[in-house]
PDB file of all heavy atoms in Angstrom:
ATOM      1  N   ASN A  21      12.158   3.505   0.647  1.00 90.00           N
ATOM      2  CA  ASN A  21      12.048   3.203  -0.781  1.00 90.00           C
ATOM      3  C   ASN A  21      12.395   1.754  -1.080  1.00 90.00           C
ATOM      4  O   ASN A  21      11.732   1.102  -1.895  1.00 90.00           O
ATOM      5  CB  ASN A  21      12.922   4.144  -1.605  1.00 90.00           C
ATOM      6  CG  ASN A  21      12.341   5.543  -1.661  1.00 90.00           C
ATOM      7  OD1 ASN A  21      11.140   5.733  -1.606  1.00 90.00           O
ATOM      8  ND2 ASN A  21      13.213   6.530  -1.777  1.00 90.00           N
ATOM      9  N   LEU A  29       7.231  -5.597  -5.522  1.00 98.00           N
ATOM     10  CA  LEU A  29       7.647  -6.713  -6.373  1.00 98.00           C
ATOM     11  C   LEU A  29       6.970  -8.019  -5.953  1.00 98.00           C
ATOM     12  O   LEU A  29       6.704  -8.889  -6.794  1.00 98.00           O
ATOM     13  CB  LEU A  29       9.166  -6.855  -6.376  1.00 98.00           C
ATOM     14  CG  LEU A  29       9.906  -5.754  -7.144  1.00 98.00           C
ATOM     15  CD1 LEU A  29      11.409  -5.878  -6.941  1.00 98.00           C
ATOM     16  CD2 LEU A  29       9.544  -5.768  -8.631  1.00 98.00           C
ATOM     17  N   LEU A  30       6.656  -8.145  -4.681  1.00 98.00           N
ATOM     18  CA  LEU A  30       5.908  -9.317  -4.217  1.00 98.00           C
ATOM     19  C   LEU A  30       4.463  -9.280  -4.727  1.00 98.00           C
ATOM     20  O   LEU A  30       3.891 -10.322  -5.056  1.00 98.00           O
ATOM     21  CB  LEU A  30       5.959  -9.426  -2.695  1.00 98.00           C
ATOM     22  CG  LEU A  30       7.347  -9.735  -2.120  1.00 98.00           C
ATOM     23  CD1 LEU A  30       7.325  -9.646  -0.596  1.00 98.00           C
ATOM     24  CD2 LEU A  30       7.835 -11.091  -2.584  1.00 98.00           C
ATOM     25  N   GLU A  51      -1.830  -6.675   4.041  1.00 97.00           N
ATOM     26  CA  GLU A  51      -1.562  -6.564   5.482  1.00 97.00           C
ATOM     27  C   GLU A  51      -0.062  -6.366   5.723  1.00 97.00           C
ATOM     28  O   GLU A  51       0.340  -5.535   6.536  1.00 97.00           O
ATOM     29  CB  GLU A  51      -2.071  -7.822   6.196  1.00 97.00           C
ATOM     30  CG  GLU A  51      -1.881  -7.797   7.693  1.00 97.00           C
ATOM     31  CD  GLU A  51      -2.893  -6.926   8.421  1.00 97.00           C
ATOM     32  OE1 GLU A  51      -3.898  -6.502   7.831  1.00 97.00           O
ATOM     33  OE2 GLU A  51      -2.655  -6.661   9.609  1.00 97.00           O
ATOM     34  N   ARG A  52       0.739  -7.107   5.009  1.00 98.00           N
ATOM     35  CA  ARG A  52       2.195  -6.969   5.153  1.00 98.00           C
ATOM     36  C   ARG A  52       2.661  -5.583   4.687  1.00 98.00           C
ATOM     37  O   ARG A  52       3.482  -4.946   5.344  1.00 98.00           O
ATOM     38  CB  ARG A  52       2.887  -8.067   4.348  1.00 98.00           C
ATOM     39  CG  ARG A  52       4.373  -8.076   4.523  1.00 98.00           C
ATOM     40  CD  ARG A  52       5.008  -9.278   3.876  1.00 98.00           C
ATOM     41  NE  ARG A  52       6.450  -9.114   3.903  1.00 98.00           N
ATOM     42  CZ  ARG A  52       7.288  -9.875   3.249  1.00 98.00           C
ATOM     43  NH1 ARG A  52       6.856 -10.896   2.539  1.00 98.00           N
ATOM     44  NH2 ARG A  52       8.578  -9.643   3.321  1.00 98.00           N
ATOM     45  N   THR A  64       0.542   5.663  11.179  1.00 88.00           N
ATOM     46  CA  THR A  64      -0.198   4.537  11.725  1.00 88.00           C
ATOM     47  C   THR A  64      -1.546   4.529  11.024  1.00 88.00           C
ATOM     48  O   THR A  64      -2.326   5.465  11.165  1.00 88.00           O
ATOM     49  CB  THR A  64      -0.358   4.678  13.248  1.00 88.00           C
ATOM     50  OG1 THR A  64       0.944   4.778  13.824  1.00 88.00           O
ATOM     51  CG2 THR A  64      -1.097   3.496  13.830  1.00 88.00           C
ATOM     52  N   SER A  66      -5.289   3.172   9.327  1.00 93.00           N
ATOM     53  CA  SER A  66      -6.569   2.546   9.631  1.00 93.00           C
ATOM     54  C   SER A  66      -7.112   1.993   8.313  1.00 93.00           C
ATOM     55  O   SER A  66      -6.625   2.355   7.237  1.00 93.00           O
ATOM     56  CB  SER A  66      -7.539   3.584  10.206  1.00 93.00           C
ATOM     57  OG  SER A  66      -7.883   4.521   9.198  1.00 93.00           O
ATOM     58  N   ILE A  68      -9.730   2.763   6.667  1.00 94.00           N
ATOM     59  CA  ILE A  68     -10.206   3.818   5.762  1.00 94.00           C
ATOM     60  C   ILE A  68      -9.031   4.507   5.067  1.00 94.00           C
ATOM     61  O   ILE A  68      -9.142   4.931   3.911  1.00 94.00           O
ATOM     62  CB  ILE A  68     -11.132   4.830   6.481  1.00 94.00           C
ATOM     63  CG1 ILE A  68     -11.870   5.723   5.477  1.00 94.00           C
ATOM     64  CG2 ILE A  68     -10.353   5.690   7.462  1.00 94.00           C
ATOM     65  CD1 ILE A  68     -12.870   5.016   4.622  1.00 94.00           C
ATOM     66  N   ALA A  72      -8.308   4.915   1.093  1.00 95.00           N
ATOM     67  CA  ALA A  72      -7.898   6.166   0.434  1.00 95.00           C
ATOM     68  C   ALA A  72      -6.622   5.971  -0.390  1.00 95.00           C
ATOM     69  O   ALA A  72      -6.521   6.473  -1.519  1.00 95.00           O
ATOM     70  CB  ALA A  72      -7.705   7.263   1.473  1.00 95.00           C
ATOM     71  N   CYS A  87       3.752   2.927 -10.019  1.00 95.00           N
ATOM     72  CA  CYS A  87       3.464   1.483 -10.009  1.00 95.00           C
ATOM     73  C   CYS A  87       3.686   0.873 -11.388  1.00 95.00           C
ATOM     74  O   CYS A  87       4.258  -0.215 -11.505  1.00 95.00           O
ATOM     75  CB  CYS A  87       2.025   1.234  -9.553  1.00 95.00           C
ATOM     76  SG  CYS A  87       1.766   1.502  -7.796  1.00 95.00           S
ATOM     77  N   LEU A  94       0.256  -3.194 -12.346  1.00 98.00           N
ATOM     78  CA  LEU A  94       0.440  -3.198 -10.886  1.00 98.00           C
ATOM     79  C   LEU A  94      -0.459  -2.184 -10.199  1.00 98.00           C
ATOM     80  O   LEU A  94      -1.012  -2.477  -9.142  1.00 98.00           O
ATOM     81  CB  LEU A  94       1.908  -2.944 -10.520  1.00 98.00           C
ATOM     82  CG  LEU A  94       2.210  -2.848  -9.024  1.00 98.00           C
ATOM     83  CD1 LEU A  94       1.804  -4.128  -8.290  1.00 98.00           C
ATOM     84  CD2 LEU A  94       3.679  -2.533  -8.794  1.00 98.00           C
ATOM     85  N   ASP A  96      -3.471  -1.101 -10.900  1.00 97.00           N
ATOM     86  CA  ASP A  96      -4.834  -1.602 -10.742  1.00 97.00           C
ATOM     87  C   ASP A  96      -4.894  -2.787  -9.780  1.00 97.00           C
ATOM     88  O   ASP A  96      -5.802  -2.884  -8.955  1.00 97.00           O
ATOM     89  CB  ASP A  96      -5.423  -1.989 -12.096  1.00 97.00           C
ATOM     90  CG  ASP A  96      -5.718  -0.771 -12.962  1.00 97.00           C
ATOM     91  OD1 ASP A  96      -6.011   0.315 -12.406  1.00 97.00           O
ATOM     92  OD2 ASP A  96      -5.648  -0.899 -14.189  1.00 97.00           O
ATOM     93  N   ALA A 104     -10.260  -4.174  -1.571  1.00 97.00           N
ATOM     94  CA  ALA A 104     -10.817  -5.419  -1.034  1.00 97.00           C
ATOM     95  C   ALA A 104     -10.447  -5.577   0.438  1.00 97.00           C
ATOM     96  O   ALA A 104     -11.268  -6.031   1.255  1.00 97.00           O
ATOM     97  CB  ALA A 104     -10.322  -6.615  -1.848  1.00 97.00           C
TER      98      ALA A 104
END
Side-chain angles (χ1 to χ4, degrees):
N21 287 330
L29 288 173
L30 293 173
E51 182 77 12
R52 185 172 171 191
T64 302
S66 68
I68 193 67
C87 287
L94 177 59
D96 289 330

